[in-house]
Amino acid sequence: MPMNDKATAPMSGRSQPDRAAVLRDRRLAVIQNALATAMMSRVRDARTGAAEFERLASELAGLALWTACRDLALVESTVPGFAANQIRAHELTERIAGVVILRAGLVFTSPFRRLLPDAPLHQVGVRRDERTLAASVYTHNLPNRKAWADRVLILDPMLATGGSAVSTIALVRSSHEGPIDVVSLIAAPVGVATVLAVDAGCRVHTVALDDRLDERGYIEPGLGDAGDRAFGTLQY
Ligand code: PRP
Ligand code: URA
């Protein structure tokens, strides 16, 4: 979305919850990590170019994925230990699937592949109308059968109004009944509240919970348009 259209103000007059209100919900996890906070400052810095932005955002996306996976179900097994005996081990039991929201969600691709190499990674194309902030799905490749995963991770660095996430959740819910984790880098309180209200089986994990949306629907302090920052397509 271009950053230079100041004529439209779709959030003008809309009330928004504050950080404290959404932090009360235990389905929200905000990552506490000093290194991540410092790295996020470089991501927010408007002087950071596309290649470095993508590198740092992918690093933080990996951290968010680790956090989202912190309590996955495990089953006990055994593996050969160093003394030729069998030792107790653990394996994941849940079938995890990822769903990237295009295009900024692509920063999750490399950490997802690295951490969960056997898990499928689907794509949903969602466009946010810059005048109304309404989200619409323009493409997707989700399976058209039921029970294709036990848990679905929806991956998008920005959770602003929550519209893009809610559209993706609706699509996923047509064939998936299990838990859904929305994994983001920066979330606005109103986006978190919207997602958690729409689906009781959803959790939200984010590296940063920012203050609010500005009148145009950008997260404050935020980082601007994540897709444009990651792909170097900023409009000047
Ligand atoms: C951005 C971002 C999210 C969405 C969040 O996408 O990548 O998908 O906005 O906003 P929301 O919570 O208000 O829906 P955008 O539509 O700008 O597409 P892009 O990723 O292609 O830039
Ligand atoms: N989408 C973005 O990329 N950035 C915002 O601040 C809000 C929505």
Side-chain angles (χ1 to χ4, degrees):
M1 169 171 26
M3 293 284 290
N4 55 2
D5 187 352
K6 295 196 169 123
T8 55
M11 285 302 293
S12 181
R14 289 205 217 172
S15 71
Q16 301 180 44
D18 61 17
R19 296 178 76 256
V22 295
L23 280 167
R24 281 186 216 112
D25 195 319
R26 294 171 63 85
R27 290 182 295 143
L28 168 65
V30 182
I31 294 167
Q32 309 288 338
N33 183 295
L35 177 57
T37 303
M39 198 176 277
M40 184 64 90
S41 300
R42 292 165 62 199
V43 171
R44 294 182 191 277
D45 188 330
R47 296 168 300 182
T48 301
E52 182 68 350
F53 179 96
E54 204 277 338
R55 189 184 72 76
L56 295 168
S58 289
E59 197 67 58
L60 292 170
L63 172 66
L65 282 171
W66 275 103
T67 304
C69 293
R70 69 192 180 283
D71 54 5
L72 294 181
L74 295 169
V75 66
E76 279 196 15
S77 62
T78 58
V79 294
F82 75 95
N85 53 342
Q86 291 292 313
I87 58 169
R88 196 161 66 98
H90 295 91
E91 290 171 20
L92 294 176
T93 57
E94 294 177 69
R95 292 170 306 136
I96 311 295
V99 175
V100 159
I101 301 183
L102 300 173
R103 80 203 132 131
L106 289 170
V107 300
F108 280 89
T109 304
S110 102
F112 186 91
R113 292 258 62 86
R114 210 170 55 234
L115 297 175
L116 297 161
D118 299 325
L121 183 56
H122 299 276
Q123 294 82 36
V124 175
V126 186
R127 190 170 293 116
R128 192 173 90 132
D129 184 304
E130 65 192 80
R131 297 193 179 273
T132 63
L133 302 183
S136 54
V137 174
Y138 60 85
T139 187
H140 76 87
N141 63 4
L142 298 187
N144 56 13
R145 61 181 195 282
K146 298 274 181 196
W148 44 279
D150 297 320
R151 176 182 297 274
V152 172
L153 308 184
I154 293 179
L155 312 172
D156 189 335
M158 308 304 279
L159 185 58
T161 63
S164 302
V166 166
S167 299
T168 305
I169 291 166
L171 199 58
V172 168
R173 276 290 177 233
S174 61
S175 54
H176 169 77
E177 291 178 357
I180 295 177
D181 291 271
V182 175
V183 188
S184 76
L185 301 191
I186 301 184
V190 65
V192 173
T194 301
V195 163
L196 295 180
V198 91
D199 193 303
C202 248
R203 299 188 302 183
V204 173
H205 314 266
T206 188
V207 179
L209 179 67
D210 276 10
D211 297 335
R212 59 190 297 281
L213 300 184
D214 71 10
E215 294 212 326
R216 292 174 303 159
Y218 280 95
I219 300 175
E220 283 184 340
L223 51 73
D225 186 300
D228 285 340
R229 294 284 313 272
F231 292 99
T233 53
L234 277 171
Q235 313 285 316
Y236 295 102

